[in-house]
Amino acid sequence: MNFFKIVLSAIYPNRCVACGEIIPEEESLCEFCSEFIEVCDSSKLCIKCGSLKKNCFCNKRSFYFDGFVAPFLNDKIARKVVYSFKLNRKERYCRFLAERMAVTVKQCYDVDFDYVTYVPMKISTVFSRGFNQSYLLAKELSKSLDIPLGFRFLKCVKNNKPQHELSGKERFENVKGMYSSVDLPSGANILLVDDIKTTGATLNECAKELYKSGAGSVYCVAALLSDKKKGK
Ligand SMILES: [Zn+2]
Ligand SMILES: [Zn+2]
């Protein structure tokens, strides 16, 4: 480590992204948070509907996307990291999440992706928040997986109610017609990125549009799977 790095790390020590405890330079989480963060075990996940196998609802609804995976479940530690990133745009939170998402994608999908793209945000939200967290995650993923970033493949064309205010069924209705997609190279394999998946309604609608525009396959990845029972 050079002198400036030593001085810098004395003033700004590396901290756990979840609890803020001082940790070694190369780590992202402290020992406690690494032990207790709830990882999303892909063997317990139904990749087709993107819910935990115990909550699988493939028999109730079919999805446009070809798969869904996530590195983390919606527990206290992972949620804190995701929301800190969503609210404060902390770069290292983004890098941490994207790194774990990249590992999950490599482990779970055997697909030659042509593009990484992301769920777009309503223009009013982009203005009030100042950034789209799914875009930032997709940009990091594109770098770490070495897959080109499909910029503005999807556009938000309707101003609907926020999804979190609605029940499971309402969410699927609410997102209908919300997105449009540009023409894609025919048969392109797309990795679609979002921050949190709850019902999958948003990803499903985006996948539908990407297919309409020529995609050959659409596989999804989010940082967090928020899998509640009763399809909420
Ligand atoms: Zn910690
Ligand atoms: Zn399923």
Side-chain angles (χ1 to χ4, degrees):
M1 220 193 285
N2 68 33
F3 175 73
F4 291 107
K5 269 199 171 163
I6 295 169
V7 173
L8 216 63
S9 67
I11 306 170
Y12 303 108
N14 188 32
R15 290 178 185 276
C16 168
V17 290
C19 71
E21 190 176 294
I22 295 175
I23 50 170
E25 203 53 45
E26 64 285 0
E27 305 288 336
S28 298
L29 290 171
C30 70
E31 277 178 21
F32 177 85
C33 294
S34 313
E35 194 177 335
F36 289 101
I37 195 164
E38 239 189 293
V39 293
C40 179
D41 178 353
S42 57
S43 69
K44 293 189 178 141
L45 186 71
C46 170
I47 284 182
K48 191 70 202 87
C49 67
S51 285
L52 291 172
K53 280 178 183 163
K54 59 178 182 183
N55 303 335
C56 164
F57 58 117
C58 285
N59 57 347
K60 296 192 190 97
R61 188 181 283 280
S62 62
F63 289 86
Y64 285 94
F65 53 76
D66 298 281
F68 171 85
V69 291
F72 298 115
L73 292 177
N74 189 17
D75 80 322
K76 273 192 196 146
I77 298 172
R79 194 166 55 222
K80 196 171 167 206
V81 178
V82 171
Y83 280 94
S84 306
F85 165 51
K86 229 170 138 149
L87 301 174
N88 309 313
R89 195 187 176 157
K90 293 242 172 102
E91 300 285 330
R92 48 192 294 266
Y93 290 49
C94 178
R95 277 200 304 275
F96 167 74
L97 294 169
E99 244 169 54
R100 299 298 182 99
M101 288 161 84
V103 171
T104 307
V105 166
K106 281 189 208 157
Q107 274 171 357
C108 302
Y109 293 149
D110 186 18
V111 181
D112 271 333
F113 289 109
D114 298 298
Y115 295 100
V116 177
T117 198
Y118 50 92
V119 171
M121 204 180 236
K122 280 191 285 191
I123 196 79
S124 55
T125 319
V126 179
F127 275 121
S128 60
R129 188 172 295 165
F131 63 98
N132 174 357
Q133 66 278 0
S134 300
Y135 161 70
L136 296 177
L137 288 170
K139 210 165 81 169
E140 280 296 321
L141 265 173
S142 150
K143 271 191 261 169
S144 58
L145 294 170
D146 197 22
I147 304 167
L149 179 69
F151 187 56
R152 290 190 180 148
F153 274 9
L154 287 158
K155 218 166 52 178
C156 219
V157 288
K158 242 164 104 181
N159 223 356
N160 294 15
K161 280 187 198 163
Q163 288 285 82
H164 63 258
E165 291 174 5
L166 305 168
S167 74
K169 218 174 161 191
E170 288 168 336
R171 287 180 185 220
F172 282 88
E173 283 304 313
N174 189 48
V175 291
K176 272 193 183 155
M178 188 152 175
Y179 304 101
S180 83
S181 174
V182 296
D183 279 347
L184 300 171
S186 176
N189 297 317
I190 307 284
L191 180 64
L192 176 61
V193 177
D194 204 0
D195 55 347
I196 302 169
K197 171 191 176 277
T198 309
T199 56
T202 303
L203 289 168
N204 194 46
E205 193 66 18
C206 288
K208 184 172 107 189
E209 287 307 309
L210 290 168
Y211 264 115
K212 266 197 219 166
S213 303
S217 67
V218 181
Y219 289 83
C220 308
V221 60
L224 213 78
L225 168 62
S226 184
D227 205 28
K228 294 174 204 159
K229 280 179 190 154
K230 294 176 194 144
K232 279 273 275 183

